[in-house]
Amino acid sequence: LPISGDKEIMMNELKDIEFAIFDMDGTILDSMWAWDTAADRLLELLRITPRPEMREDIRPMTVPQVAEYLIREYELGYTMDEMMKMFDDTMINFYRNGAEFKPGALEFLKKLRERSVGMCVATATDVHMVEIALKRTGIYDMFDFILTCTEVGASKVSPLIFEKCLERAGSDRSRTWIFEDSAFAVETAKRAGFPTLAIYDKSSEQFEDIKREKADIYINSFDEVVF
């Protein structure tokens, strides 16, 4: 199993890559912490103490699913539109002002483009936020397209978003790599037959063993990849 530090194997594994499907938060951008705390911050503004299990409950959910969860589980008197506006305001401000690259991510994207590797973003974050983040960081034009879980109607517990990306890319499945920080997304991609690269992220630290076991390549940072 290729692991962090085994650069020769990683070079051999990635040299034939044709298309790359990138998650955004926690993979390209160091932004998962902002999502992990967004629901907590909203509840705290409402003077409600979040339950200990909430973060794990909402981890695989899309934003609309999280909004529904909060309204239902905490018996909030807000409409879906009102809750979505709260999330939007919180995260848009973050993407406009605070989102930064994961170490080595920008250089890695540039290397893929230099090698004419096609790339897209497949994310649970809604498209208007993705566009703000990618444009602000200057990488929007690097990607052939963006596809979100909201648009396909399924979270990454389902392989649907990866299948849709593959269809649009028109690439070979065995040469279409999925780059993820999420353990459950890595597992989903592997079950669907995609090669995967998993990257460390502090927000999913408790699942690093699963990522190491399931992914074709595991890295701590994009700085470690040489190909």
Side-chain angles (χ1 to χ4, degrees):
L1 174 68
I3 58 173
S4 173
D6 198 340
K7 295 181 175 61
E8 182 177 356
I9 294 178
M10 286 192 283
M11 178 178 68
N12 291 334
E13 288 287 317
L14 287 172
K15 68 178 181 179
D16 293 327
I17 183 173
E18 179 180 356
F19 197 86
I21 300 173
F22 280 96
D23 173 57
M24 186 178 78
D25 296 297
T27 301
I28 299 172
L29 299 181
D30 183 14
S31 49
M32 274 308 301
W33 64 269
W35 280 108
D36 286 347
T37 59
D40 298 72
R41 294 199 305 273
L42 287 179
L43 290 178
E44 286 165 6
L45 286 172
L46 299 172
R47 298 184 179 181
I48 297 171
T49 302
R51 296 170 189 154
E53 70 274 13
M54 185 187 72
R55 285 194 187 181
E56 287 309 309
D57 287 348
I58 67 176
R59 187 178 294 276
M61 296 181 185
T62 63
V63 176
Q65 289 170 338
V66 173
E68 290 176 352
Y69 173 94
L70 294 180
I71 291 170
R72 181 183 68 252
E73 294 297 321
Y74 293 91
E75 299 180 350
L76 302 180
Y78 292 98
T79 66
M80 275 292 293
D81 286 345
E82 289 169 335
M83 287 300 298
M84 291 298 292
K85 179 67 164 54
M86 291 182 195
F87 271 107
D88 273 11
D89 290 346
T90 300
M91 295 308 301
I92 285 173
N93 181 65
F94 169 74
Y95 286 126
R96 281 181 175 156
N97 300 291
E100 301 293 343
F101 289 110
K102 295 288 285 283
L106 178 58
E107 293 75 16
F108 183 73
L109 293 173
K110 288 178 177 178
K111 287 178 184 177
L112 290 182
R113 267 305 182 206
E114 287 171 3
R115 294 169 178 262
S116 299
V117 175
M119 299 189 291
C120 75
V121 171
T123 175
T125 303
D126 282 344
V127 67
H128 64 290
M129 295 186 193
V130 179
E131 290 176 350
I132 288 170
L134 298 185
K135 287 177 181 178
R136 176 191 160 274
T137 52
I139 59 174
Y140 180 80
D141 291 334
M142 287 188 177
F143 298 99
D144 298 340
F145 59 89
I146 297 164
L147 198 58
T148 72
C149 291
T150 299
E151 290 173 303
V152 302
S155 74
K156 290 181 182 178
V157 172
S158 161
L160 183 59
I161 191 168
F162 301 134
E163 298 291 355
K164 292 291 185 182
C165 287
L166 181 66
E167 182 180 325
R168 287 185 63 172
S171 51
D172 183 85
R173 185 182 300 263
S174 66
R175 296 174 64 190
T176 301
W177 280 75
I178 292 176
F179 295 80
E180 277 281 355
D181 69 298
S182 162
F184 71 83
V186 168
E187 289 182 297
T188 297
K190 288 304 298 178
R191 285 196 302 269
F194 291 92
T196 59
L197 183 149
I199 187 167
Y200 168 83
D201 191 75
K202 184 175 178 60
S203 70
S204 56
E205 206 164 36
Q206 67 269 43
F207 301 109
E208 294 308 302
D209 287 345
I210 296 174
K211 286 154 66 172
R212 284 180 182 273
E213 177 187 351
K214 299 294 183 181
D216 294 289
I217 295 173
Y218 175 89
I219 59 174
N220 290 302
S221 150
F222 284 111
D223 287 331
E224 299 173 356
V225 183
V226 176
F227 68 99

